[in-house]
């Protein structure tokens, strides 16, 4: 369930979707038509209903359908693969695993087809092989696992900070400090299970960042995660006043440079293979959506 308060005059479906990017606008249209949305306690079934500032909006989101994910022949950009694991360069816009509003076309559907069903089942039928994930609009490298033994070992390595992940992000504003660490606990927002904020009751979360280059309006950063919380980079950068460029959830009314989602890329990953003991280390090029923006900016 989402509990929202309108902050502007807007179409009802547009406002709700702007507050929660993990579901599509068409998904919310269907919920509105089905009578799952109330405004100030009254059911509204018209997506074009105009909200007023201060309107109390409640969205009843049905529980996800518990159904097996199905294999789908979806192309994957594979950078490494063996009998135990696979590393994929995920494109921006691809959902990692089936969830409400996204039952097909996900990375899991593609992995089931490519790996012929040979994926760990520790996380159940909806998330086979998934030991960590990236947000839908975050691009870049992530690992999936093919058996439970590798899953357990890799999950333990991640918990012990033995898997090194480096990201690149464009953030709003000019950060004057060359490098810094954000050590601030992250928890969910009351009434909005998809949004994360820094609060004293959250889980310990640590993000290290270093300036790559400063521009007139934004800063290009390299970031290393010490922990792996949901939306960690996005919520931490918002916390210090520099949200990720194009982020529809944490900076919905900022200039987005034509982006479809946040300008955040998982650029490199390294770890010791849990079975063979060899060093696995890969780096991906910045995607075109990222470099296109860099080409339009002015350095300072």
């Amino acid at each position: 369930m989402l509990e929202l308060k309108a902050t502007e005059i807007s179409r009802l479906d547009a406002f709700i979707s702007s507050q929660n990017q993990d579901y599509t606008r068409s998904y919310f249209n269907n919920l509105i038509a089905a009578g799952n949305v109330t405004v100030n306690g009254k059911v509204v079934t018209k997506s074009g209903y105009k909200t007023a500032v201060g309107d109390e909006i409640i969205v009843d989101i049905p529980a996800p359908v518990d159904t097996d994910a199905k294999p789908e022949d979806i192309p994957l950009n594979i950078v490494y693969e063996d009998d135990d694991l696979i590393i994929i360069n995920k494109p921006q816009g691809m959902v990692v695993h089936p969830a409400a509003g996204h039952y097909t076309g996900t990375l899991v559907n593609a992995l089931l087809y490519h790996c012929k069903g040979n994926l760990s089942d520790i996380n159940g039928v909806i998330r086979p092989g998934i030991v960590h994930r990236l947000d839908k609009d975050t691009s870049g490298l992530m690992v999936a696992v093919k058996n439970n033994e590798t899953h357990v070992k890799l999950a333990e390595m991640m918990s012990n900070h033995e898997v090194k992940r480096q990201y690149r992000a464009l953030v709003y504003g000019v950060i004057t400090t060359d490098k810094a660490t954000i050590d601030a606990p992250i928890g969910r927002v009351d009434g909005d299970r998809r949004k994360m904020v820094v609060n004293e009751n959250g889980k310990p979360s640590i993000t290290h960042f270093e300036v790559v280059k400063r521009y007139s309006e934004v800063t290009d950063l390299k970031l290393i995660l010490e922990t792996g919380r949901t939306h960690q980079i996005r919520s931490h950068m918002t916390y210090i006043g520099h949200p990720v460029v194009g982020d529809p959830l944490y900076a919905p009314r900022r200039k987005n440079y034509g982006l479809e989602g946040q300008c955040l890329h998982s650029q490199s990953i390294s770890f010791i293979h849990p079975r063979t003991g060899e060093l696995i280390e890969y780096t991906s090029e910045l995607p075109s959506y990222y470099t296109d923006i860099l080409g339009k900016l002015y350095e300072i």
Side-chain angles (χ1 to χ4, degrees):
M1 179 178 293
L2 299 180
E3 297 180 2
L4 308 170
K5 179 173 287 188
T7 57
E8 59 188 354
I9 298 174
S10 172
R11 282 177 57 103
L12 181 60
D13 59 343
F15 175 72
I16 295 173
S17 62
S18 74
Q19 301 300 300
N20 194 308
Q21 72 169 92
D22 290 303
Y23 302 93
T24 64
R25 184 165 169 175
S26 61
Y27 174 75
F28 285 121
N29 282 334
N30 291 335
L31 288 187
I32 293 169
N36 287 43
V37 176
T38 63
V39 179
N40 299 325
K42 296 182 179 180
V43 174
V44 174
T45 57
K46 300 293 186 182
S47 296
Y49 175 90
K50 295 294 185 182
T51 63
V53 175
D55 277 350
E56 301 283 347
I57 300 168
I58 296 178
V59 184
D60 182 14
I61 298 178
V65 177
D66 187 14
T67 181
D68 292 359
K70 301 296 190 296
E72 294 179 41
D73 187 3
I74 301 170
L76 290 172
N77 183 352
I78 298 169
V79 299
Y80 174 83
E81 182 176 15
D82 61 23
D83 291 338
D84 301 296
L85 54 87
I86 181 172
I87 301 177
I88 306 99
N89 191 6
K90 186 186 84 69
Q92 186 183 54
M94 181 181 236
V95 176
V96 169
H97 59 77
H102 298 284
Y103 293 112
T104 62
T106 73
L107 178 62
V108 161
N109 297 114
L111 286 171
L112 284 169
Y113 181 90
H114 176 80
C115 298
K116 297 179 173 58
N118 295 319
L119 295 168
S120 71
D121 60 10
I122 287 177
N123 276 333
V125 297
I126 292 295
R127 296 183 292 170
I130 303 303
V131 69
H132 75 114
R133 71 181 191 89
L134 298 177
D135 297 330
K136 174 174 72 74
D137 289 321
T138 298
S139 59
L141 301 177
M142 65 170 288
V143 185
V145 289
K146 296 184 176 183
N147 54 69
N148 289 354
E149 181 180 2
T150 302
H151 191 130
V152 170
K153 290 180 179 179
L154 196 59
E156 183 178 358
M157 291 169 64
M158 288 183 171
S159 179
N160 294 332
H161 315 306
E162 296 171 13
V163 178
K164 306 301 181 184
R165 291 169 288 165
Q166 181 176 296
Y167 290 74
R168 286 282 292 277
L170 287 181
V171 300
Y172 292 108
V174 179
I175 297 179
T176 57
T177 303
D178 287 340
K179 59 175 64 176
T181 295
I182 305 170
D183 186 350
I186 293 174
R188 296 192 182 278
V189 174
D190 291 339
D192 187 346
R193 65 190 181 89
R194 297 294 179 176
K195 196 170 185 179
M196 311 296 290
V197 293
V198 169
N199 66 57
E200 60 182 11
N201 298 318
K203 295 181 179 180
S205 307
I206 301 174
T207 303
H208 308 282
F209 72 82
E210 180 178 343
V211 171
V212 175
K213 194 167 291 186
R214 297 179 179 92
Y215 298 88
S216 59
E217 299 175 322
V218 305
T219 304
D220 191 5
L221 296 180
K222 176 174 66 177
L223 307 102
I224 295 177
L225 298 183
E226 192 166 316
T227 52
R229 309 303 177 201
T230 300
H231 294 185
Q232 179 170 319
I233 290 175
R234 298 166 66 189
S235 57
H236 264 173
M237 297 314 300
T238 300
Y239 172 66
I240 66 170
H242 296 279
V244 178
V245 169
D247 195 322
L249 184 61
Y250 295 94
R253 287 176 287 278
R254 302 286 289 267
K255 180 179 178 181
N256 70 0
Y257 299 89
L259 288 168
E260 295 296 325
Q262 64 272 3
C263 193
L264 179 59
H265 181 66
S266 174
Q267 189 172 36
S268 69
I269 190 167
S270 65
F271 56 93
I272 300 299
H273 195 292
R275 181 176 60 82
T276 68
E278 67 176 312
L279 175 64
I280 304 296
E281 187 172 29
Y282 286 92
T283 299
S284 68
E285 297 293 329
L286 289 176
S288 59
Y289 76 82
Y290 201 118
T291 56
D292 285 348
I293 294 177
L294 292 179
K296 300 173 184 176
L297 298 174
Y298 295 97
E299 296 181 35
I300 62 172

